[in-house]
Each structure stands twice: as structure tokens, then as C-alpha cells.
Amino acid sequence: MNRIVEVLADKTDLIKRSQEILLSRLQAAIEARNQFTIALAGGSTPKPLYESLASQPLPWSKIHFFWGDERYVPASHNDSNQLMTRQALLDRIDIPQGNIHPMDTTVADPLEAAQKHEQDLQEFFGVKQTEMPKFDLILLGMGDDGHTASLFPKTEALSVSDRLITVGNKDGQPRLTFTVPLINQARCVVFLVAGENKRSALKEVFASQGDAQNYPSRLIQPQGELIWLLDRQAAAEL
Ligand code: 6PG
């Protein structure tokens, strides 16, 4: 397995390291393809990274922002991942609106919204229906139940292998989420995991044998790089 695990002293160091990795992958992508495609994660851990990026002089017109998952609420709702990242980053920078690619949660049927976003991705990346696009970087968090994106334990979304986007299910509430194969197609996947409450799930996710239905983060095994950034609190039992 190509997994790299880095344990950082605390959240501040974890964010600093995630920013270094992001900036280096950004530079490489722009040199190679003149654009950088990144999928953002929700949750509290990456928020300071987004805030820090907002003050960097980056080539914003060459950066395209996507989300790995979204709660099925309006974009103005406090639970919206889009809202969090707009407030922390996207509303603070000079970026063409066409470079921001949120998941549309205004359609009544989440499945329809998933299919629409899938088509948007296929058009943007210029891939056929049977192909998976390759993101330069996908940022992920992990819940204390081992879920990542909106791939929750024992849900149907875990086994979707022929779609880019599907409907996740958090305690009966629909979510939109990247599928496992889409995430695994990425050039680089970075998990940001901090805090004591992640210890036991991390142990299960990193165990040599285990059940991915119970700990969906086990399913994330990208073709490209896989980097787990942990703080000492989270990594204490590994
Ligand atoms: C959710 C959560 C979740 C989150 C992880 C990590 O939508 O259920 O937001 O997906 O990303 O639980 O969250 P923290 O970074 O806040 O630990």
C-alpha cells in the first residue's frame, strides 16, 4: 500500500503541513496541466487551512474548487459545507465564479442532483460516461465512526462502483458524496484527522484486517498518493 502517515504535534502543525502539501501539488499541477482541481472537505479540522489559503497570493483563476460531499441543505444553511468554505475562503478571494463547482442541493430529488453533478464533472473533465476523472487533490476528513466524505458505515453508497456521485445516508438524511472509485482515481488524497475522539476508529481503519463496511475510510486506496495527516491526540493508539 502506498499510504504515508505523518503525525504532527498539534492541529496548528497539521494545518501547516496540509498547506505545504497542497501548495506543492498545486504548483506541480499548474506546471503540468496549467490548472489545479481540488475537492474540499467539510468538518471543523480543515477550516483553518481554508482561512490560511485565503491570504495567499495564489493563481486563483487556474484553481477549480469542488466538494467531496455535501449535506442536502440549502447553500445558505449552517450545515452546508459550501457555506463553511465560502466564508473561510471562497468569498475572500478574487476567483472567477465559474471556478467554483458546488453540488446543487436545490433539486427535490437528491438522486437527480447526484446525476446532475456527475454530468457536470464529466463535462468539466471531458471524460466519457464510463471514465473516472482524476482530481489533483482530494481533501478528506474522518468521523469518529470511520466515515469519510458522506460514505457512512453500512450504507449503500459504499458499494457504488459505476458512478462518480451518489446519495449518502446519515441517519436517514440524504447527502451527496463522491463515490469510492472517484476518490480512488485521484492523484493525491490527504486525510486531515485531529483529536482524541478519532483514536479508536483510526486503529480500525489502519488494522491489517478489517471490515470496510464498518469503517469506510478503509476503502480509500487511491492510485496516486495517500497521505494521512494526524495530530498526536488522534494517533496516540496507533
Ligand atoms: C459530517 C461531518 C463529517 C466530518 C468528519 C470530521 O458531515 O458528518 O462533518 O463528515 O468531516 O466528522 O470532522 P472534524 O474535522 O470536525 O473532526
Side-chain angles (χ1 to χ4, degrees):
M1 203 198 279
N2 55 351
R3 182 175 71 201
I4 292 173
V5 182
E6 293 186 28
V7 180
L8 289 310
D10 54 24
K11 275 194 198 175
T12 307
D13 282 4
L14 186 150
I15 293 306
K16 241 170 88 184
R17 182 67 186 126
S18 65
Q19 179 158 297
E20 277 171 18
I21 294 171
L22 188 154
L23 295 179
S24 79
R25 302 313 180 270
L26 181 149
Q27 197 186 342
I30 289 179
E31 276 170 21
R33 290 172 295 282
N34 203 30
Q35 85 174 4
F36 179 59
T37 52
I38 176 171
L40 303 175
S44 59
T45 312
K47 195 172 171 199
L49 168 64
Y50 305 148
E51 288 165 343
S52 168
L53 288 174
S55 59
Q56 306 276 323
L58 298 182
W60 298 114
S61 63
K62 296 181 179 177
I63 304 177
H64 285 263
F65 288 97
F66 298 80
W67 281 261
D69 73 319
E70 186 56 275
R71 289 112 177 236
Y72 217 71
V73 294
S76 57
H77 193 284
N78 270 340
D79 289 344
S80 163
N81 286 339
Q82 184 188 163
L83 180 68
M84 183 274 277
T85 42
R86 280 194 185 271
Q87 289 173 339
L89 171 63
L90 302 171
D91 289 349
R92 303 185 187 186
I93 56 177
D94 185 15
I95 184 166
Q97 286 309 299
N99 289 27
I100 301 177
H101 306 266
M103 292 170 162
D104 182 1
T105 53
T106 61
V107 187
D109 179 1
L111 188 59
E112 212 176 289
Q115 287 167 356
K116 185 166 166 264
H117 196 62
E118 178 167 297
Q119 275 169 13
D120 292 346
L121 292 187
Q122 285 162 339
E123 272 166 37
F124 175 83
F125 284 94
V127 296
K128 297 194 203 85
Q129 258 187 357
T130 49
E131 277 177 305
M132 290 283 160
K134 225 180 223 324
F135 278 87
D136 290 312
L137 178 61
I138 298 181
L139 299 177
L140 293 174
M142 188 192 75
D144 53 14
D145 59 355
H147 86 266
T148 190
S150 282
L151 300 165
F152 289 92
K154 298 180 183 142
T155 57
E156 284 174 24
L158 301 185
S159 48
V160 176
S161 61
D162 56 350
R163 310 303 308 222
L164 277 52
I165 307 294
T166 193
V167 180
N169 177 339
K170 157 98 173 174
D171 304 329
Q173 295 300 310
R175 306 273 192 102
L176 297 181
T177 184
F178 279 18
T179 58
V180 172
L182 176 60
I183 298 173
N184 283 344
Q185 188 70 22
R187 292 195 172 85
C188 181
V189 173
V190 177
F191 274 91
L192 279 72
V193 182
E196 204 178 330
N197 61 324
K198 307 291 167 73
R199 278 181 199 169
S200 69
L202 272 179
K203 241 167 118 175
E204 300 293 339
V205 171
F206 285 9
S208 54
Q209 305 276 323
D211 185 356
Q213 283 294 317
N214 290 324
Y215 295 94
S217 297
R218 292 181 68 90
L219 296 167
I220 307 308
Q221 293 170 10
Q223 301 198 339
E225 299 174 284
L226 172 60
I227 305 174
W228 283 81
L229 299 181
L230 313 177
D231 75 348
R232 244 186 234 149
Q233 289 279 329
E237 285 175 26
L238 293 180

